[in-house]
Amino acid sequence: QVQLVESGGGLVQAGGSLRLSCAASGGTIRNYHMGWFRQAPGKGREFVAHITWTAGSTSYADSAKGRFTISRDNAKNTVYLQMNSLKPEDTAVYYCAARSGGTYRNLFDYNYWGQGTQVTVSS
C-alpha cells in the first residue's frame, strides 16, 4: 500500500511557473508508472502527464506539451511536475497517481491516488 501526498500548488499569475511534488510513503514508487491528472470545477478528471518506472519514457496531454515536464527521483520516492507558462485554463486540482498495469491515459487503471493540490492561475 502506497500513500501519495501532493504539494506545491498555489495562486500564480498567467505566464508564471509552479513545481508540484508528489511524495510517496508506505512503499516505494520504484516499480510504478506515475501520472498526473487534473480536475477543474465542473469538469471531469483529465490526463496531464505520465512517466514510466524506468524514467525512459514520458507522455503528455496536448494541452501540456511544451509547457509541463514530468520527472521522478526514485531515491527520494518523489515525482514532480514542472509547470511553466501557466494559463487560466490550467486552474484545477492536480492529482498524483501510481499504476503497475493498464494504460497510462486511463485513470481507472491507476492503483493509488493522492488527495490533490489546488492550482489557481489568475488572468
Side-chain angles (χ1 to χ4, degrees), residues 18-84:
L18 286 173
R19 189 180 75 159
L20 306 183
S21 297
C22 174
S25 62
T28 178
I29 64 169
R30 182 185 61 189
N31 295 325
Y32 287 91
H33 308 299
M34 303 295 296
W36 286 96
F37 292 77
R38 68 186 183 187
Q39 187 165 15
K43 304 291 185 179
R45 191 169 299 186
E46 67 175 2
F47 167 77
V48 176
H50 175 268
I51 187 167
T52 56
W53 70 273
T54 62
S57 180
T58 58
S59 301
Y60 298 93
D62 288 341
S63 60
K65 290 179 180 177
R67 299 189 299 126
F68 294 3
T69 302
I70 187 171
S71 62
R72 65 190 298 159
D73 188 337
N74 287 346
K76 295 182 178 180
N77 221 23
T78 302
V79 63
Y80 306 94
L81 184 68
Q82 178 67 46
M83 304 187 296
N84 299 325

Side-chain angles (χ1 to χ4, degrees), residues 89-109:
E89 51 262 44
D90 294 319
T91 296
V93 177
Y94 283 72
Y95 297 90
C96 175
R99 69 175 179 91
S100 58
T103 58
Y104 72 86
R105 300 191 74 93
N106 188 354
L107 62 89
F108 297 104
D109 289 336

